[in-house]
Amino acid sequence: MSAEVLVSKPHYDGGAVAQGLRQEQGAPLEPPSVLATAGFRSAKYTPAEWFSGYRSLLQQAGADHFTAQTIQEESRVLRKDTEATTVQTQTDGTRLLGERLQDIHRWKSELQEHIGRLLSDTTALQALKMRLERALDATETPFAIAVDNLTCRSRRLGPDLVRDCVEEELLKEVDLIRNVQALLKRTIDQVATQIKLNRDTKQALEFDWSDKYEAYALDLQCGRFTDKSTDTQHYPITAAMLEQMSDVPSWIKFTQDNLHRAFREEKASKDLRLEHCFNQTVLLDTTKDLRVQCSNVDQAFLQRCAEQMDAKIQLEMQFKETLEQIGAQERNIVALQKAIDDKDAPQRVAESRLYRRYHRPNMELCRDEPQISLEGEVREIDATLASLQQQLRDARSSLSHLEDTRMALEKDIMCKSNSLFIEREKCMTQRKLYPTISTLSGY
């Protein structure tokens, strides 16, 4: 438009110009009617104005033509440049979208790989946790057996209520089971915590993977857009949308942080499994120790039962002999009492004879041979009675002691029977329910 020339266009009458032109070329004069009105025309152009008018028009047309040609050339160059620029820009945009798709696919694949690893680790840890829980549940049976054995043995009577080797082995068994349970509970807590961390990390990776999956689909759709696509339209780009967008470094850092977290939890899961391998060896050893301790307790029970059985047999034999001695002593007491009673008549006879002879008169009261014999007989009978009565007292005292011994033996035999019932019928019967090594290991 710089070459455009602005020229004022004066108003002129074309008919008047044409009329004047015909007059110059020798045209006939106007009719009288025209001449009659000549005095009333006041707006006629002069030839100079006429020439100036069309020359100005020609000049304007030339300027317009030049301006149009200039604009046309500039438009042609601009169309060519903008078309090339637009094609190049669109090509670059398509290329960048393709590179972006590759980046998203790479990160998405890495996320998916770690999601699979975390899922595998979590599944393995869940199986480990179930096995440990089964092993922990399995320890409840031997613990209940050992505690019940101690409780039953606390109901032993009298002298049998002793802290023997069986009780020592049972206490060792209880302590060993508690140690195993503490190890199992600690390991279960660690596994449960790691499972939760794995699940949280897996969920974060899945959210990131889902976002990248959606972004990949959108960018793939954008990459397929061409100038001939029918599903494109104009959309206004607002500043609010630009403010919500993240930059490339933060986008990369977000995914890298998730992957680092996944690496950390995977390593923790691996370390936990390695630790469990060690703990599994320890658990297997302690499980074997439990079975060995169970065998020790069973052996102690058998030995104790054998000792109690021997003691019971000896007590029963002694009880039988004591009963026989009681019977013999009772018969002896009866015999002694009869012997004492039997001495009553001879004693009365001898004493009566002495008494009667004491009434002999004067010199007849002589200590003769019969007198001496009677006196000796009375003394002998008295001595015999004293001896028999002392023997009777001793026999009765012995019988009393025998009765006390019988009662003590009977009570001790009852204690031994009660202890044997507790040991064999209660404790050893329950110990047959002791779980196997595989059960204690959680299989």
Side-chain angles (χ1 to χ4, degrees):
M1 291 300 178
S2 61
E4 181 180 359
V5 179
L6 298 178
V7 181
S8 61
K9 298 180 180 180
H11 179 74
Y12 63 90
D13 191 355
V17 174
Q19 184 179 2
L21 183 61
R22 285 194 299 269
Q23 289 177 358
E24 289 180 356
Q25 294 177 356
L29 297 175
E30 292 292 334
S33 60
V34 175
L35 293 176
T37 60
F40 298 96
R41 301 286 299 271
S42 61
K44 290 185 178 180
Y45 293 98
T46 63
E49 291 176 343
W50 179 78
F51 282 110
S52 176
Y54 84 83
R55 285 174 182 169
S56 297
L57 185 60
L58 292 176
Q59 186 179 2
Q60 179 67 33
D64 291 341
H65 291 171
F66 178 78
T67 300
Q69 290 176 358
T70 301
I71 293 175
Q72 289 172 8
E73 181 64 23
E74 290 178 353
S75 298
R76 184 182 63 79
V77 174
L78 183 60
R79 286 197 310 272
K80 184 177 180 180
D81 292 343
T82 53
E83 181 178 3
T85 302
T86 302
V87 171
Q88 184 62 37
T89 303
Q90 189 180 89
T91 302
D92 292 341
T94 304
R95 178 180 56 81
L96 292 175
L97 281 174
E99 293 176 358
R100 181 65 173 179
L101 287 173
Q102 291 179 356
D103 291 340
I104 294 176
H105 180 72
R106 177 170 58 85
W107 289 113
K108 187 164 65 71
S109 299
E110 193 166 353
L111 286 171
Q112 188 170 2
E113 180 181 357
H114 285 282
I115 288 172
R117 291 180 184 177
L118 287 173
L119 180 61
S120 177
D121 291 341
T122 303
T123 303
L125 289 176
Q126 285 176 334
L128 174 61
K129 181 172 176 288
M130 291 180 62
R131 179 187 168 192
L132 291 173
E133 288 175 346
R134 287 196 299 267
L136 181 61
D137 292 338
T139 59
E140 293 297 330
T141 300
F143 183 77
I145 290 174
V147 172
D148 188 72
N149 289 163
L150 289 171
T151 303
C152 289
R153 299 187 86 244
S154 66
R155 294 194 290 269
R156 290 173 296 170
L157 302 175
D160 283 359
L161 192 60
V162 294
R163 188 183 178 95
D164 51 8
C165 61
V166 178
E167 187 165 352
E168 295 291 341
E169 295 297 333
L170 282 172
L171 292 174
K172 291 180 182 179
E173 187 177 48
V174 170
D175 291 337
L176 182 59
I177 294 173
R178 284 175 177 171
N179 292 333
V180 173
Q181 288 178 339
L183 174 63
L184 288 172
K185 289 178 181 178
R186 184 170 61 252
T187 307
I188 289 173
D189 292 338
Q190 292 176 352
V191 172
T193 302
Q194 189 59 47
I195 288 175
K196 184 179 183 302
L197 292 174
N198 286 355
R199 286 176 174 173
D200 293 341
T201 304
K202 176 175 170 290
Q203 186 179 24
L205 294 182
E206 287 175 342
F207 283 153
D208 195 3
W209 182 90
S210 177
D211 292 341
K212 284 179 171 51
Y213 179 83
E214 185 175 356
Y216 185 88
L218 292 173
D219 284 348
L220 182 63
Q221 184 181 9
C222 293
R224 290 175 179 174
F225 283 152
T226 62
D227 293 340
K228 296 181 181 181
S229 299
T230 59
D231 53 347
T232 58
Q233 62 182 16
H234 294 285
Y235 293 98
I237 300 177
T238 62
M241 294 178 62
L242 296 176
E243 291 176 355
Q244 297 175 358
M245 297 177 68
S246 61
D247 53 4
V248 176
S250 63
W251 177 77
I252 295 176
K253 185 177 182 302
F254 179 77
T255 303
Q256 286 179 343
D257 290 342
N258 287 333
L259 292 176
H260 290 161
R261 182 180 175 186
F263 276 122
R264 184 174 65 251
E265 301 308 332
E266 289 170 10
K267 183 178 182 301
S269 298
K270 181 179 179 181
D271 293 341
L272 187 59
R273 288 197 300 271
L274 291 176
E275 182 181 357
H276 172 66
C277 291
F278 173 74
N279 289 339
Q280 186 176 9
T281 304
V282 175
L283 179 61
L284 184 60
D285 293 339
T286 53
T287 302
K288 291 180 179 178
D289 292 340
L290 280 178
R291 289 301 308 178
V292 171
Q293 185 62 30
C294 176
S295 299
N296 293 337
V297 174
D298 292 343
Q299 186 64 34
F301 265 116
L302 291 175
Q303 181 180 355
R304 187 60 177 167
C305 288
E307 293 173 354
Q308 290 178 347
M309 194 64 189
D310 291 340
K312 182 174 178 290
I313 291 174
Q314 293 178 9
L315 289 171
E316 287 176 345
M317 293 175 60
Q318 193 66 33
F319 180 74
K320 182 179 179 181
E321 291 179 2
T322 301
L323 290 178
E324 292 176 354
Q325 288 297 323
I326 289 174
Q329 195 67 275
E330 287 176 347
R331 290 191 297 271
N332 182 40
I333 290 173
V334 171
L336 288 173
Q337 187 65 47
K338 186 176 183 303
I340 292 173
D341 293 340
D342 290 343
K343 294 298 184 290
D344 182 65
Q347 185 181 26
R348 286 187 288 107
V349 171
E351 290 179 354
S352 296
R353 287 177 178 177
L354 280 177
Y355 180 76
R356 294 291 181 181
R357 296 194 83 223
Y358 282 148
H359 290 83
R360 289 177 297 171
N362 300 322
M363 290 300 293
E364 291 300 322
L365 186 61
C366 178
R367 195 167 181 270
D368 51 10
E369 288 297 329
Q371 183 70 28
I372 295 173
S373 176
L374 287 172
E375 290 177 358
E377 182 180 4
V378 170
R379 287 193 298 271
E380 180 183 355
I381 291 174
D382 290 338
T384 300
L385 284 174
S387 175
L388 288 174
Q389 289 174 352
Q390 181 62 39
Q391 193 67 25
L392 179 61
R393 288 192 294 270
D394 292 341
R396 287 175 175 171
S397 177
S398 174
L399 178 61
S400 177
H401 291 161
L402 287 173
E403 290 289 347
D404 293 339
T405 302
R406 179 188 65 80
M407 292 178 63
L409 289 173
E410 189 174 7
K411 184 177 180 180
D412 203 9
I413 290 172
M414 183 182 66
C415 289
K416 297 295 183 292
S417 299
N418 179 68
S419 299
L420 281 172
F421 176 78
I422 290 174
E423 307 285 6
R424 290 189 302 189
E425 303 300 329
K426 293 286 188 180
C427 297
M428 296 188 69
T429 302
Q430 282 187 339
R431 299 194 67 81
K432 293 179 181 179
L433 303 175
Y434 209 93
T436 61
I437 294 180
S438 59
T439 304
L440 290 173
S441 299
Y443 293 105

